[in-house]
């Protein structure tokens, strides 16, 4: 369970990272929209785990590697934005948020079950 402090700090990081990716994301990933879906912060506020979703990109793992290569630069830009609010700029760990893929997969499964039930009722 995250404390209120962790949740508030994660929200600040999420907003500022979203602004950074919106303004400068094209430099890292041309023609790709990057969305920060979730940020989790450790209790000591030293590490921020950032979950990303990539739109208009066929290879999410390659996009994630590109973001990881620019992690130091992204952290520096984040630090410039939040330096007056925190003592230490957290290390950033990036992960792919596969929630939308999971939802799509579950929708397909439910559709298949629904079709099979409809066929059994007709028979």
């Amino acid at each position: 369970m995250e404390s209120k402090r962790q949740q508030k700090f994660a929200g600040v990081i999420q907003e500022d990272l979203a602004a950074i990716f919106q303004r400068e994301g094209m430099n890292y990933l041309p023609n790709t929209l990057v969305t920060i879906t979730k940020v989790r912060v450790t209790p000591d506020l030293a590490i921020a785990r950032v979950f990303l979703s990539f739109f208009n990109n066929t290879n999410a793992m390659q996009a994630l590697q590109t973001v990881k290569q620019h992690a130091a630069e992204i952290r520096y830009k984040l630090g410039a934005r939040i330096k007056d609010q925190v003592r230490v700029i957290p290390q950033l760990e990036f992960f792919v948020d596969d929630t939308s893929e999971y939802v799509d997969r579950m929708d397909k499964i439910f559709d298949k079950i629904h079709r099979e039930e409809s066929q059994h009722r007709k028979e």
Side-chain angles (χ1 to χ4, degrees):
M1 182 74 187
E2 287 185 333
S3 69
K4 291 282 186 192
R5 183 174 178 224
Q6 285 173 276
Q7 292 173 356
K8 185 177 178 183
F9 189 56
V12 168
I13 290 173
Q14 184 170 357
E15 284 181 27
D16 287 325
L17 282 176
I20 290 168
F21 277 106
Q22 184 178 21
R23 289 194 181 124
E24 302 175 29
M26 290 297 180
N27 296 337
Y28 312 127
L29 298 164
N31 302 321
T32 300
L33 176 65
V34 180
T35 305
I36 291 87
T37 56
K38 183 174 25 177
V39 175
R40 297 281 186 242
V41 181
T42 57
D44 62 356
L45 308 180
I47 300 172
R49 293 180 177 94
V50 182
F51 293 85
L52 305 172
S53 181
F54 302 100
F55 296 99
N56 201 21
N57 189 313
T58 55
N59 191 342
M61 295 312 288
Q62 184 179 4
L64 179 65
Q65 288 303 322
T66 303
V67 170
K68 284 182 177 182
Q69 289 171 353
H70 291 39
E73 181 182 346
I74 295 167
R75 181 175 182 242
Y76 177 80
K77 290 177 182 180
L78 176 66
R81 295 176 73 95
I82 66 172
K83 67 180 183 234
D84 297 332
Q85 300 171 40
V86 297
R87 283 185 280 156
V88 178
I89 308 303
Q91 290 291 331
L92 301 176
E93 295 179 355
F94 294 102
F95 301 93
V96 172
D97 184 5
D98 58 355
T99 305
S100 62
E101 293 163 10
Y102 176 77
V103 169
D104 289 342
R105 196 167 53 242
M106 294 306 290
D107 282 343
K108 288 176 183 174
I109 291 170
F110 287 131
D111 287 343
K112 182 179 177 184
I113 291 170
H114 181 70
R115 282 193 306 265
E116 289 174 359
E117 286 179 353
S118 295
Q119 285 179 342
H120 288 302
R121 287 184 194 149
K122 290 178 182 177
E123 292 175 355

